[in-house]
Amino acid sequence: MLKISAKGHSMPESPIRKLVPFAEAAKSRGVKVHHLNIGQPDIETPEVALKAVRDFSEEVVVYSHSAGNLSLRKRLSYYYKTVDIELGPEEIIVGSGASEALLFAFQSIMDPEDEVIIPEPFYANYNGFAKNAGINVKPIFSSIETGFSLPPIEDFEKNISDKTKAILVCNPNNPTGYLYSRQELETLRDIVKKHDLFLIADEVYREFTYDGKVHYSAMYLDGIEENTILIDSVSKRYSACGVRVGWLASKNKELMATALKFAQARLSPPSFGQIAAEAAVDTPEEYFVKVKEEYLARRNAVVEGINKIKDAYCPKPLGAFYVMAKLPIDDSDKFCKWLLEDFSFEDQTVMLAPATGFYSSPGRGKDEVRISYVLKLDDLKSSVKVLEEALKVYPGRT
Amino acid sequence: MLKISAKGHSMPESPIRKLVPFAEAAKSRGVKVHHLNIGQPDIETPEVALKAVRDFSEEVVVYSHSAGNLSLRKRLSYYYKTVDIELGPEEIIVGSGASEALLFAFQSIMDPEDEVIIPEPFYANYNGFAKNAGINVKPIFSSIETGFSLPPIEDFEKNISDKTKAILVCNPNNPTGYLYSRQELETLRDIVKKHDLFLIADEVYREFTYDGKVHYSAMYLDGIEENTILIDSVSKRYSACGVRVGWLASKNKELMATALKFAQARLSPPSFGQIAAEAAVDTPEEYFVKVKEEYLARRNAVVEGINKIKDAYCPKPLGAFYVMAKLPIDDSDKFCKWLLEDFSFEDQTVMLAPATGFYSSPGRGKDEVRISYVLKLDDLKSSVKVLEEALKVYPGRT
């Protein structure tokens, strides 16, 4: 019988993409839709990166090294030196985005049915990578009440079994914006050391920290050098999501040799993207100063705006460009669809990400949404106003 | 215990890459190494494709649609019209190279332990994609004596089990250069129809046919529209391997919806590569005329040269840019290594691909090598001379 695979059936559909047709329909009715649902920044890609691509002067666009161009990996090694992390070019494997790099990491350390522990809510695509690798995610609940800080150590311990191979944390966090402290990372170090687990640290938002807080990398942790796998990317740092350049990095030689076999099987990461990524490391400091100022103003506008809305609440996160908001609603999926299908205020509405997609425990996130502050300040302020008006009339208000 | 996965252990190492350190060592001894081992053409990427990338004028490099830019898919749809294939943009999903597209196809139609039948010798990376998807390859022997024509139908039939989900053919073939005829494709149609299998046709070399022969696509086959999956790429056609743009195409809606879920989980294919690929469709016809003339002259030089060597033989293939040669040697892995480590003629040697890497049946390919004719004619002629001299003195000569 001609049929698709059980694996294909099990692949999750993006909780956000399900709403796209409703957003399209709203637009065709003349309603302006503010997109607060995605992690696609509106910030300009640094000129130095675009120029490098425009200056491409080779005659043939050839395969690169399977681990990525050596010149790029050397440049990344230099970047890490500037943030006090020692990583040689041979300790880095470049993928088609952090997506592929994380998949290489999963496949290199886990077999089907093995488990990775991830504090939830977590980035929805982790589910897709896990399904792809045939592994299972064990979520550990973190609460909006504590601002999504690290769950207590006992919650990790009681979920560790023979199948557990790794703990994955995203820091600063998508979707919560939470910035894990040095102390929390040291707690994670103690757990992975005690139970001989890998610690996968997704640090693609490492540059985006606010209120004077400094990012504490998992690569700073002593005594678990063989356990730590760093996932990183140029997508968010240089607002260059489309170049598809991310990487994994680790001092564990056996792991890197294995990941390289997966990398070799697909030949190489994209050449033009690597050129952009290599040049992007030279982005002047002013760029980040401006970008961070902009994000900070946006975060403040969103957080203050949401907290002024009756019965709405959102913590003030210290990193990334997301906030999770708790709203007086019955069902975030229904609410987000309703916003697009049945509501507008002054011919505007907002597209939000229902938080249910970021929890893997059923039933969680029904009264929460994720807001990406990737729009200009004026649009963000209008969006908060739209949300406030919407909550006044939403039939499923609780 | 901190250890890598069984899956990682099972990932094959590229049979060609194993030789790279020996090639490096030869170069450091001052020996010129002619690289006949890889499918990286030396042909220029069309100017129209490079110009499109240099002309990039957006301010932000954003994620594309997960299936690839609609404008690219429309352009590919137009390309197929020119070769009498009807494929709408919604019947195409763009991947990071044909590598990713084929992996999406494998994962969408096969679960772990399912089987795909492939005539051997076959492209070595099929093993990597199969291992990655957890599936098994059932090789069907095709012989150099028949020029690697399609094995008899009985050989397929006796390998079909409950686990068999697909037959995969590469046409024109890598590594053999064999061009399957319309009649052979109709045989495959009858088999897949009778047994309800998918037919995966890897046609990335579709433009490269010689001696007046025209490529017959699997997409021309009537009555198996739901079964057929086309794999294609710009890498070889436009000598643009590094852009990492390939795709799968099918009229099977359920399959495409499933493949899209895998595509969504990794967000999008590379943006710059897609720009190059879209523009490449406008490559003027003269480009192909010149390129095919060049490859034809190269093929003739290699085939005639090899067949003049005592006890060496190679068929005259009608497609792609590879030939398989049978040589009077004990072990192609040993021979190819010896060429780099212990031999030179007039300060030159050649790097070849041992054919063992293209067979999955143990023991096969020991007296065969694959030669890629991706070098200038003069270098190719020198390479054949080197090979001839080498065979005079190789200690493992049979």
Side-chain angles (χ1 to χ4, degrees), chain A residues 147-164:
Chain A
F148 301 105
S149 63
L150 195 73
I153 193 162
E154 306 78 57
D155 291 1
F156 285 93
E157 297 267 353
K158 72 183 175 208
N159 277 283
I160 293 172
S161 74
D162 284 356
K163 294 276 179 203
T164 311

Side-chain angles (χ1 to χ4, degrees), chain A residues 70-92 247 281:
Chain A
L70 181 60
S71 56
L72 168 59
R73 287 179 287 129
K74 280 184 174 166
R75 211 65 200 129
L76 296 176
S77 171
Y78 163 82
Y79 160 79
Y80 284 114
K81 264 200 190 71
T82 67
V83 290
D84 287 327
I85 295 171
E86 282 296 326
L87 274 172
E90 73 290 354
E91 294 169 334
I92 296 170
W247 54 93
V281 177

Side-chain angles (χ1 to χ4, degrees), chain B residues 327-366:
Chain B
L327 304 177
I329 51 173
D330 57 342
D331 181 326
S332 51
D333 286 280
K334 262 167 47 184
F335 177 65
C336 293
K337 190 175 156 204
W338 175 86
L339 281 170
L340 296 168
E341 237 187 345
D342 297 308
F343 180 78
S344 67
F345 173 73
E346 293 177 353
D347 294 324
Q348 298 174 55
T349 192
V350 290
M351 186 169 176
L352 306 173
T356 49
F358 303 107
Y359 288 90
S360 80
S361 303
R364 284 200 176 128
K366 276 186 170 295

